[in-house]
Amino acid sequence: MLNIARKELKSMFASPMGWIILALLTFAFGTYYLNGVNNYFEVMSGSIRPAERIGVTQFVGQTVYGLASFIMLFAVPLLSMRLISEERRSQTMPFLFSAPLSISEIVVGKFLGLVVFLSILVVYIAVMLTTLNIWADIDFGYIFANSLGLLLLVSSFAALGLYFSSLTAQPIIAGILSFIALFVLMILDRFFAGDPTSTMLKFSLMRHFQSFGGGLIDTADLAYFGLFILTFITLTIRRLDADRLRG
């Protein structure tokens, strides 16, 4: 399993797309970080009353993490679409099935490879915000909660993208389907905002990320993301297992 994860991670760094996405995202996050710091000084040095002021960690963090949760919606389907569909297209699935590994190890290995790649961006954001500690007291708990929430969010994206990648031999189709499904799941809370008791609200990814965005860690949100990831990994395993039985 770890060998599969290492292979996937190497393949991402071996392809131009991996480096391009990494460069674009780090540039975007860095730009929003600097804009957030500048805006903090402009807003907080005005006539606003002290009671209305918020800490620099939350002010800058909500800008950067808000952007990250949105922009990952586009980046993760691009990264996940090739995970299994490329194996189908290049007809290397029989070789993968004949390896001394179970289907579960193959699927989890591919999932972990992508999550480790995405974790680099999550750690990058956390380290960037930690540098605020040079000239101000920052809220490390806020950064930890947001980093954990963002990691769970992008891991959920990766699990769903992996599943759609297992359904087709065309990476582009897998990427488009993943994006549409994630987009709908992200904005479900807006469709049902007028009905707080609606069951559909519980399926909104953004709704469960919001508590982390506020610096809180809720066990219900942890359970939601855990079940979401487990569900799509299980569906992927079942899909590939059915393919192997059909030969």
Side-chain angles (χ1 to χ4, degrees):
M1 183 174 68
L2 292 179
N3 288 334
I4 294 287
R6 194 179 300 114
K7 174 179 171 294
E8 289 300 327
L9 190 59
K10 283 183 178 178
S11 68
M12 288 177 191
F13 282 110
S15 69
M17 180 180 290
W19 283 105
I20 290 171
I21 290 176
L22 199 61
L24 289 176
L25 293 184
T26 52
F27 176 76
F29 297 152
T31 301
Y32 267 70
Y33 166 77
L34 293 175
N35 288 339
V37 174
N38 291 331
N39 290 338
Y40 177 80
F41 282 115
E42 291 176 5
V43 173
M44 295 303 165
S45 63
S47 58
I48 190 170
R49 294 191 296 274
E52 296 173 327
R53 295 182 180 182
I54 63 174
V56 63
T57 316
Q58 184 177 354
F59 190 94
V60 180
Q62 65 187 7
T63 301
V64 178
Y65 283 111
L67 171 74
S69 63
F70 174 73
I71 207 167
M72 287 294 192
L73 181 62
F74 299 88
V76 176
L78 287 175
L79 291 166
S80 65
M81 66 183 185
R82 296 177 59 256
L83 287 174
I84 295 177
S85 59
E86 187 65 27
E87 303 275 4
R88 291 187 187 282
R89 192 172 67 166
S90 59
Q91 299 183 343
T92 56
M93 287 298 290
F95 300 106
L96 198 61
F97 287 155
S98 63
L101 295 168
S102 67
I103 296 294
S104 301
E105 289 173 322
I106 294 171
V107 171
V108 174
K110 286 180 174 290
F111 171 74
L112 288 179
L114 178 54
V115 169
V116 170
F117 182 85
L118 297 171
S119 299
I120 295 172
L121 293 166
V122 177
V123 171
Y124 168 75
I125 293 174
V127 170
M128 193 168 56
L129 290 172
T130 304
T131 60
L132 293 170
N133 196 46
I134 296 173
W135 54 272
D137 293 330
I138 63 172
D139 187 347
F140 285 101
Y142 178 87
I143 295 175
F144 175 77
N146 272 270
S147 298
L148 177 61
L150 183 59
L151 181 61
L152 290 171
L153 185 69
V154 296
S155 297
S156 300
F157 288 180
L160 186 142
L162 181 65
Y163 172 65
F164 277 107
S165 181
S166 72
L167 298 180
T168 175
Q170 300 300 324
I172 295 297
I173 294 176
I176 293 173
L177 291 176
S178 300
F179 172 76
I180 293 173
L182 289 173
F183 182 75
V184 171
L185 287 171
M186 285 286 281
I187 63 172
L188 265 181
D189 56 331
R190 299 191 179 186
F191 289 138
F192 298 95
D195 183 10
T197 61
S198 173
T199 305
M200 297 302 292
L201 275 176
K202 298 177 181 176
F203 293 99
S204 170
L205 285 165
M206 185 52 74
R207 180 181 175 85
H208 290 280
F209 177 67
Q210 284 172 350
S211 61
F212 292 101
L216 302 174
I217 297 177
D218 192 318
T219 53
D221 298 322
L222 291 174
Y224 169 81
F225 282 118
L227 287 173
F228 188 97
I229 293 167
L230 184 62
T231 298
F232 281 101
I233 286 180
T234 303
L235 288 174
T236 307
I237 292 171
R238 290 179 63 84
R239 166 67 181 178
L240 293 187
D241 205 32
D243 287 348
R244 183 168 64 173
L245 290 175
R246 282 197 298 265

